[in-house]
Each structure stands twice: as structure tokens, then as C-alpha cells.
Amino acid sequence: GFGSTRLQRVMMDGAAVQRNDENISTPVEMVRLAQLLFAHKIVDSDACAQMIAILAEVDAAMRKAVPAQYRVAAKPGWVTDARCETGIVFLDDRPFALSVMSSYNGAGDANPVGPVTEIVFAHFERLAHSNIYGHRTGERPKKE
């Protein structure tokens, strides 16, 4: 069911890179995978819980962009001039999955994951702590 996701080479296979045989996916398919993991619909519930626990330990840009009180389970990836990260942010009453992919980042290998995560988190945090009319019902979390 993941029609755009392709594993086309062994990791860091220089000859395959020259042939444009990259491992590829889309943000939509990666978010779908994260949602299935969150819902414990991959393999079995215990395996999903273990995978989430492992991803919660990964040093990821999403974790750094979200206030420390919220759990984040994410998997980053990168090659020269390209960055990607897919994760689950366990926001109270509004958990969400996010996938950010970028290429042609240029000098310094810029990573847009953190800034994009901050914007998306702010949106879902407002939804989680507002009534249906947009009136805020809770305090904004402090970023540490």
C-alpha cells in the first residue's frame, strides 16, 4: 500500500547513488506509516510499543523543537544536501504525525525539520487548548 516508497539500494552504496538508485518515499506515506505505528497496527501491539520506545530515544530535530514535557518518537535521515524526519508528537489530546523532507539544501546542509516542527506543533497545541470557537482554554507550554 506504499506505492511511492522504494528501497533501491544498500545504505550508502556510492555506485547506486551515481545511478540515481536512491531509497525514496513521500511525506504522505511516511506519515501514514507513523499513524499505523501509533495505532499499533504494524506487526502487533507489543512490537509497535517497542518501536515507539526506540524512536523516542533517537536524537532527532523534532524532539528539540517541541517542549520537553511532550514525548516525541522520530526517525531522522540525511545525506549530503538532503534531510528528512518522520515522527509522532504525543501532544495531550492532539497527538500528531509529521514528516518533513527537503533536498537541495546547499551550503551548511540546512535542516528545516526543527522550524517546520515548531510551526506545526504551535498549530496543534492551539487546537488542543482552545474551544471550538478558538478561545484559548489553557496556558501555552514553555520551551526549555
Side-chain angles (χ1 to χ4, degrees):
F2 292 88
S4 295
T5 299
R6 297 283 183 266
L7 301 177
Q8 302 180 122
R9 65 176 168 90
V10 175
M11 300 307 291
M12 300 312 183
D13 177 349
V17 171
Q18 292 300 316
R19 293 189 309 269
N20 292 314
D21 291 338
E22 296 286 354
N23 295 329
I24 58 172
S25 191
T26 67
V28 169
E29 289 188 0
M30 293 305 296
V31 162
R32 193 163 139 240
L33 183 62
Q35 290 170 327
L36 290 169
L37 183 61
F38 177 80
H40 288 213
K41 294 188 176 183
I42 300 173
V43 188
D44 61 49
S45 187
D46 288 341
C48 288
Q50 289 176 19
M51 286 185 265
I52 290 170
I54 291 168
L55 293 173
E57 297 297 320
V58 173
D59 182 24
M62 283 184 187
R63 174 175 299 112
K64 295 171 186 161
V66 170
Q69 71 208 59
Y70 299 104
R71 184 176 184 207
V72 176
K75 170 62 176 91
W78 63 91
V79 293
T80 304
D81 290 342
R83 296 281 178 162
C84 62
E85 191 165 317
T86 298
I88 304 164
V89 177
F90 292 83
L91 177 61
D92 300 335
D93 301 321
R94 269 293 177 172
F96 63 92
L98 174 64
S99 184
V100 179
M101 295 183 178
S102 66
S103 58
Y104 302 104
N105 291 337
D109 206 13
N111 188 354
V113 173
V116 170
T117 301
E118 288 176 0
I119 292 166
V120 174
F121 176 83
H123 172 74
F124 281 99
E125 191 278 330
R126 276 191 305 276
L127 290 177
H129 297 104
S130 299
N131 70 17
I132 63 171
Y133 301 104
H135 186 148
R136 188 152 188 97
T137 59
E139 287 188 35
R140 288 180 172 81
K142 305 255 188 292
K143 190 168 179 203
E144 297 174 17

